[in-house]
C-alpha cells in the first residue's frame, strides 16, 4: 500500500514538474487537431472578432463558449501574436453577463476593435475600443440586438463595458456584426453592419465612437438565399494599376445554394457615406469550399496589407464536427489583392507570405509526405487527380477535368456525423486551361487550396481516420515543391 502511495506521489510530482509550455503542446496533438491553424485549447469557437494590430501585437478575438463544445454563452475569447502565425492564449476578454434585476442575459456577439489613437472617445490615447453586438435575451420577451462598446487601456488585457450602452439601437431583433474603421479622407469613424433578414448593410458615422448617425445603405443586390452577417468594408490595391478600390464583403449565401453558408463580395466605391458596387459587376464568392465563413480584415495593419482571417466551419454542421475537446478553428491569415480579369475586377487571396517560415523538411517525391500537416504546390493537367488517403476506403481527392477543379470529401470515412457534410466542392477555372497550379495547405483535418495564384480558393474540413496520409496520382500531376509544416504550439 505504502509503495503504491509513494509511486502515486512520485507520479504527481513528475507531472507537476512538466513545464507549462510542454503541457500546452500536449493538448495540441489530438486526432484531427490542426497543428499550424489557430484553435482554442478547448471548447467552441466561431467568428473571428476585433482583428487589430497594436504596438507589436496582432490581436485575434473570437466568438467563444467558455463552457462547452457547442454554440452558446457567447463571449469574446482572445489571443495575441507577434507574427500572425504563433498565437498565445489570453483570458476571455468580454464575457456573457446577466442582469439580476431584470433577469435579462446578454451574449457578446461579433464585432470590431479599433485603436483610438486620438482619444476621440475619452477612454485614453491608444485605448482599444471594442464595438460589438449585444444579443439580449429579455426575460419573457425574446431576443433584441443592439450595438455596445467596451474598452481596454492595457493593450487588451482587461476590458470594461461602457456605462451608457447601447451606443446604437434601432429596436430590432436582428441587427448585428458592426465593423468599424477610421475613414481618413473625412477624418471620422465609419461603421458597417447588417440588418440580416432585410439583406441590407447600413453605414453610420461618428466623431467619438459613442454617437452614431446613419449615412447610407447598401441593399437590393447580391445573393439573398441566406441572411447576411459579418460585413466588412476595405480598400484594396489593384495589381498592376495605381488604383485602390473598395470591397464590401459579407457572409451569407454559398455558391452551392441555401443548404450552406459562404462569403460573397462586391467591388465598388465608398464615398464616406455609402457603398455603390460597380455597375458592370455582380456579387462574387470569396471561396468555393464549405469552410470559410465570417471572414473579416485587420484594422491598423502596420504595412497596409489587407489581411483576412475566416472561421473554418459551416453552420450546417459546425455543432457536430467530430473534434474534442475543441470545436472550430481559424484559417491562415490571407492577404487579399484585386486583379483585373478582362473587364472584371476580382479578389485574389493567398496565405500571408510569412507562412514560409513554418516550413520544415522538404518533400521531394509526391508519394510520401508522411505527416498530416504540410504545404504543397503541384501542376495538374486536364483529367488528373491527387488522392490523399489512409487506404482505399478512406480518402480525399483533388481533381481537375474540363476546366473544373474539384475537392471531394465524400470518400473520407468519418462523415456521417451530419448528413450534408459529405460533399464535392467545385469551381470553374476561366478559359479552361490545360494545366493549373494548385498550392494547398493540409493540416490534419483542414485543407486550404489556392488555385492559379489564389484566383480560386477552396477551404474544407475533412476527417480521415488517422493523421498519416499517402498520396497517389491519376493522370499528370507534377510536384513543384512541398514542405512538412511543424506545430505552432
Ligand atoms: C456569424 C454569426 C454572427 C453573430 C455570431 C454569433 O457566424 O451568426 O452574425 O454575431 O455568429 O455567435
Amino acid at each position: 500500500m505504502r509503495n503504491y502511495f509513494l509511486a502515486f506521489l512520485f507520479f504527481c510530482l513528475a507531472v507537476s514538474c512538466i513545464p507549462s509550455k510542454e503541457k500546452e503542446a500536449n493538448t495540441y496533438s489530438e486526432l484531427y487537431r490542426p497543428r499550424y491553424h489557430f484553435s482554442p485549447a478547448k471548447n467552441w469557437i466561431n467568428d473571428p472578432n476585433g482583428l487589430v494590430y497594436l504596438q507589436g501585437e496582432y490581436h485575434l478575438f473570437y466568438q467563444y463558449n467558455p463552457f462547452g463544445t457547442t454554440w452558446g454563452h457567447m463571449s469574446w475569447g482572445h489571443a495575441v501574436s507577434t507574427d500572425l502565425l504563433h498565437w498565445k492564449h489570453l483570458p476571455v476578454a468580454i464575457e456573457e453577463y446577466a442582469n439580476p434585476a431584470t433577469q435579462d442575459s446578454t451574449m457578446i456577439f461579433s464585432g470590431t476593435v479599433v485603436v483610438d489613437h486620438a482619444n476621440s472617445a475619452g477612454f485614453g490615447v491608444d485605448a482599444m475600443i471594442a464595438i460589438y453586438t449585444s444579443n439580449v435575451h429579455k426575460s419573457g420577451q425574446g431576443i433584441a440586438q443592439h450595438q455596445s462598446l467596451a474598452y481596454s487601456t492595457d493593450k487588451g488585457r482587461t476590458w470594461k463595458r461602457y456605462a451608457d450602452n447601447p451606443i446604437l439601437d434601432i429596436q430590432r431583433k436582428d441587427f448585428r456584426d458592426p465593423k468599424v474603421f477610421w475613414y481618413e479622407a473625412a477624418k471620422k469613424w465609419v461603421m458597417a453592419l447588417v440588418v440580416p433578414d432585410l439583406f441590407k448593410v447600413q453605414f453610420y458615422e461618428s466623431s467619438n465612437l459613442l454617437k452614431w448617425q446613419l449615412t447610407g445603405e447598401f441593399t437590393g443586390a447580391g445573393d439573398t438565399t441566406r441572411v447576411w452577417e459579418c460585413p466588412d468594408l476595405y480598400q484594396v490595391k489593384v495589381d498592376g494599376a495605381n488604383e485602390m478600390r473598395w470591397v464590401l464583403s459579407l457572409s451569407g449565401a454559398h455558391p452551392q445554394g441555401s443548404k450552406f453558408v459562404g462569403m460573397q463580395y462586391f467591388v465598388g466605391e465608398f464615398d464616406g457615406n455609402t457603398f455603390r458596387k460597380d455597375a458592370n459587376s455582380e456579387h462574387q464568392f470569396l471561396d468555393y469550399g464549405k469552410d470559410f465563413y465570417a471572414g473579416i480584415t485587420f484594422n491598423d495593419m502596420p504595412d497596409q496589407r489587407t489581411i483576412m482571417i475566416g472561421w473554418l466551419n459551416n453552420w450546417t454542421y459546425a455543432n457536430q464536427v467530430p473534434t474534442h475537446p475543441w470545436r472550430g478553428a481559424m484559417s491562415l491569415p490571407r492577404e487579399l489583392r484585386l486583379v483585373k480579369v478582362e473587364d472584371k475586377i476580382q479578389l485574389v487571396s493567398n496565405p500571408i507570405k510569412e507562412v514560409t517560415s513554418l516550413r520544415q523538411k522538404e518533400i521531394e517525391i509526391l508519394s510520401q509526405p508522411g505527416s498530416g500537416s504540410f504545404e504543397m504546390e503541384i501542376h495538374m493537367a486536364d483529367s488528373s487527380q491527387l488522392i490523399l488517403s489512409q487506404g482505399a476506403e478512406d480518402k480525399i481527392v483533388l481533381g481537375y477535368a474540363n476546366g473544373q477543379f474539384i475537392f471531394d470529401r465524400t470518400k473520407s470515412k468519418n462523415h456521417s456525423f451530419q448528413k450534408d457534410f459529405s460533399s464535392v466542392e467545385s469551381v470553374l477555372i476561366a478559359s479552361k486551361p490545360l494545366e493549373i497550379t494548385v498550392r494547398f495547405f493540409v493540416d490534419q483535418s483542414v485543407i486550404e487550396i489556392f488555385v492559379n495564384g489564389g484566383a480560386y480558393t477552396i477551404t474544407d474540413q475533412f476527417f480521415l481516420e488517422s493523421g498519416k496520409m499517402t498520396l497517389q496520382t491519376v493522370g499528370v500531376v507534377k510536384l513543384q515543391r512541398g514542405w512538412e509544416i511543424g506545430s505552432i504550439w
Side-chain angles (χ1 to χ4, degrees):
M1 191 65 193
R2 191 166 165 271
N3 282 353
Y4 279 125
F5 176 72
L6 280 177
F8 179 65
L9 195 69
F10 180 73
F11 173 73
C12 293
L13 270 174
V15 167
S16 67
C17 286
I18 299 173
S20 64
K21 184 114 203 345
E22 236 165 82
K23 268 193 221 164
E24 200 172 278
N26 286 341
T27 68
Y28 277 83
S29 54
E30 302 95 337
L31 176 65
Y32 304 140
R33 171 74 92 169
R35 307 294 200 260
Y36 60 92
H37 285 79
F38 178 86
S39 62
K42 58 177 186 173
N43 295 331
W44 162 276
I45 63 167
N46 56 291
D47 315 358
N49 296 149
L51 304 181
V52 70
Y53 172 84
L54 173 65
Q55 296 167 16
E57 281 181 331
Y58 297 93
H59 292 260
L60 164 62
F61 299 88
Y62 51 88
Q63 289 287 283
Y64 183 56
N65 179 356
F67 305 107
T69 50
T70 52
W71 187 87
H73 300 288
M74 298 323 296
S75 302
W76 275 29
H78 189 195
V80 286
S81 169
T82 52
D83 63 1
L84 284 167
L85 295 170
H86 297 85
W87 295 96
K88 181 174 147 211
H89 294 299
L90 292 179
V92 171
I94 315 175
E95 275 171 87
E96 176 196 41
Y97 62 96
N99 180 338
T102 57
Q103 307 254 308
D104 293 353
S105 68
T106 300
M107 292 203 251
I108 316 299
F109 272 20
S110 287
T112 308
V113 170
V114 293
V115 177
D116 192 6
H117 298 293
N119 193 18
S120 63
F123 300 114
V125 171
D126 285 347
M128 292 178 88
I129 311 280
I131 295 184
Y132 59 88
T133 300
S134 290
N135 184 78
V136 187
H137 193 183
K138 284 182 182 279
S139 175
Q141 294 169 52
I143 301 288
Q145 293 183 343
H146 49 236
Q147 317 319 315
S148 298
L149 185 149
Y151 59 94
S152 166
T153 51
D154 57 2
K155 294 180 67 179
R157 270 43 183 190
T158 58
W159 290 82
K160 283 201 180 69
R161 278 182 274 115
Y162 175 49
D164 282 336
N165 280 333
I167 51 162
L168 179 61
D169 188 0
I170 59 168
Q171 308 288 327
R172 282 195 106 257
K173 174 176 168 283
D174 286 293
F175 180 47
R176 62 177 177 268
D177 305 341
K179 172 67 194 242
V180 179
F181 63 94
W182 177 251
Y183 181 66
E184 181 58 28
K187 304 223 173 314
K188 65 179 185 181
W189 298 103
V190 168
M191 180 196 296
L193 76 176
V194 285
V195 186
D197 47 329
L198 301 183
F199 312 105
K200 194 187 267 186
V201 182
Q202 291 193 323
F203 304 100
Y204 290 79
E205 66 177 14
S206 174
S207 59
N208 61 7
L209 296 163
L210 304 171
K211 301 226 167 336
W212 294 89
Q213 282 86 36
L214 181 70
T215 58
E217 290 186 343
F218 175 80
T219 189
D223 190 325
T224 57
T225 50
R226 294 289 292 244
V227 295
W228 286 8
E229 302 185 307
C230 302
D232 197 355
L233 180 63
Y234 38 89
Q235 263 187 309
V236 186
K237 194 174 166 296
V238 182
D239 267 15
N242 204 7
E243 197 189 356
M244 301 283 282
R245 301 303 313 279
W246 285 88
V247 173
L248 175 67
S249 56
L250 53 93
S251 292
H254 189 274
Q256 283 185 24
S258 62
K259 242 187 213 167
F260 304 97
V261 291
M263 285 191 69
Q264 57 185 306
Y265 69 93
F266 307 87
V267 179
E269 276 315 301
F270 178 65
D271 62 5
N273 296 320
T274 201
F275 173 86
R276 285 182 196 82
K277 71 175 179 64
D278 288 351
N280 61 351
S281 81
E282 278 315 314
H283 69 280
Q284 302 180 63
F285 288 104
L286 213 99
D287 194 288
Y288 285 82
K290 296 280 163 50
D291 294 304
F292 191 83
Y293 195 68
I296 52 164
T297 61
F298 274 84
N299 274 331
D300 275 22
M301 275 300 294
D303 53 13
Q304 310 295 313
R305 285 185 295 174
T306 308
I307 306 250
M308 176 179 276
I309 293 181
W311 172 44
L312 292 177
N313 222 332
N314 199 300
W315 279 118
T316 305
Y317 45 72
N319 275 287
Q320 283 108 34
V321 292
T323 60
H324 189 79
W326 82 102
R327 202 177 255 133
M330 297 299 174
S331 73
L332 291 170
R334 292 183 183 178
E335 180 173 359
L336 305 183
R337 289 164 21 230
L338 284 172
V339 295
K340 265 198 180 127
V341 183
E342 288 155 20
D343 63 340
K344 201 178 78 181
I345 301 184
Q346 74 164 74
L347 278 178
V348 159
S349 29
N350 282 293
I352 51 167
K353 60 179 186 312
E354 291 88 335
V355 294
T356 56
S357 70
L358 299 176
R359 289 174 178 167
Q360 295 189 339
K361 196 166 151 281
E362 191 155 4
I363 296 168
E364 274 152 20
I365 45 166
L366 251 185
S367 55
Q368 206 58 54
S371 87
S373 293
F374 61 95
E375 167 194 353
M376 194 171 265
E377 189 174 308
I378 54 176
H379 285 177
M380 298 184 80
D382 192 25
S383 303
S384 68
Q385 288 185 349
L386 179 70
I387 303 161
L388 287 79
S389 66
Q390 310 290 356
E393 302 299 308
D394 196 11
K395 59 187 176 191
I396 51 173
V397 181
L398 286 73
Y400 182 60
N402 301 320
Q404 194 88 21
F405 176 79
I406 61 130
F407 174 71
D408 181 352
R409 60 183 180 186
T410 58
K411 296 177 187 72
S412 59
K413 245 189 201 160
N414 193 352
H415 61 67
S416 53
F417 50 87
Q418 201 279 341
K419 66 178 176 24
D420 298 312
F421 179 81
S422 173
S423 62
V424 181
E425 328 305 356
S426 70
V427 58
L428 189 65
I429 312 298
S431 82
K432 305 184 175 181
L434 288 176
E435 187 179 87
I436 57 171
T437 306
V438 182
R439 183 180 179 205
F440 61 99
F441 291 78
V442 170
D443 195 6
Q444 308 297 322
S445 58
V446 167
I447 184 164
E448 297 193 60
I449 310 174
F450 303 87
V451 179
N452 285 355
Y456 310 89
T457 66
I458 287 185
T459 308
D460 259 22
Q461 298 177 85
F462 61 88
F463 301 100
L464 298 182
E465 296 239 301
S466 96
K468 296 254 177 291
M469 283 171 204
T470 309
L471 269 67
Q472 291 154 292
T473 57
V474 174
V476 182
V477 177
K478 281 180 271 168
L479 171 67
Q480 296 305 300
R481 47 203 197 134
W483 289 270
E484 305 274 351
I485 296 191
S487 173
I488 58 168
W489 303 104

